[in-house]
Amino acid sequence: LTSGWTIPETAMAAAMGAVKGSKDRVYLGEAWARTYGFIEGMKDGAIAAGKTMLEKNPTEYGSKIEARRYNVIPWPIGQAVRLPGRMLITTDNFFRALNMRMSLRQQAYHDATKLGLKGQEKAEHIADTLRNPPEEIYDAAFKEAVYLTFNKNLGETGQSIQRFVNSHPAFKLVAPFIRTPVNL
């Protein structure tokens, strides 16, 4: 829902920018770019999710699994016990890839529009940007993807709470997750 909502949110931002006459604004085509990115991102997400499920010990930046993970219980019982955590990581990776594609598409469209490109030139610029995104565009897309999956790093207070809960296993029963609720 969060990923999908960014499409009408982008369209509303474009309408508001047009009414205000803002120089550096969101363009209506960016909502369409996000929509196309959503469709493309489904494939990216499926690939990322598949890779995660096939890995022996999947880990990923900003995972909802907050505590250190040990493979103490041997296979196959251990695999079954770890399956819920693996599914959380898999889901995060699916949506992170989907959101990355949406953001990359939007930023590529915005950049091409801001440069005043039209037609084939615009299409080529967007394709080139998607094939080899500049570092600042890639970093912004990654940041947005982490934000939209509620995996943004916590601030000082949140990290203190997280360290406390992780160092006192009994508190995991009361507060098994810290990062996602704080980010929500």
Side-chain angles (χ1 to χ4, degrees), residues 30-135:
E30 291 179 55
W32 291 109
R34 284 195 82 82
T35 303
Y36 192 70
F38 186 89
I39 295 164
E40 280 182 328
M42 291 289 190
K43 179 182 172 190
D44 294 349
I47 291 168
K51 285 180 182 177
T52 302
M53 281 304 290
L54 294 174
E55 289 177 17
K56 185 175 181 185
N57 292 306
T59 56
E60 185 62 45
Y61 173 87
S63 168
K64 288 188 178 28
I65 307 300
E66 297 170 356
R68 278 180 260 146
R69 297 175 55 217
Y70 303 101
N71 293 332
V72 179
I73 303 171
W75 192 90
I77 296 169
Q79 292 288 56
V81 168
R82 289 184 290 275
L83 187 62
R86 173 170 261 169
M87 293 306 295
L88 277 173
I89 295 169
T90 299
T91 304
D92 279 347
N93 287 345
F94 174 87
F95 283 106
R96 189 173 302 112
L98 178 123
N99 286 310
M100 285 261 319
R101 178 58 61 179
M102 290 174 72
S103 183
L104 287 171
R105 272 255 169 222
Q106 178 182 1
Q107 290 183 75
Y109 181 91
H110 180 84
D111 191 45
T113 303
K114 202 170 175 183
L115 290 171
L117 302 176
K118 301 219 185 283
Q120 189 62 29
E121 267 187 322
K122 188 174 194 172
E124 287 174 9
H125 180 80
I126 291 169
D128 287 343
T129 302
L130 291 172
R131 267 193 300 276
N132 191 20
E135 189 174 337

Side-chain angles (χ1 to χ4, degrees), residues 2 5-6 13 25 35 45 54 61 67 79 103 119 132 136 165 174 180:
T2 304
W5 181 248
T6 63
R25 64 184 186 89
T35 303
L54 294 174
Y61 173 87
Q79 292 288 56
S103 183
N132 191 20
E136 65 275 1
V165 169
V174 178
T180 302

Side-chain angles (χ1 to χ4, degrees), residues 10-28:
T10 302
M12 287 186 275
M16 289 170 57
V19 168
K20 283 179 144 181
S22 301
K23 185 178 179 181
D24 187 30
R25 64 184 186 89
V26 175
Y27 301 99
L28 184 58

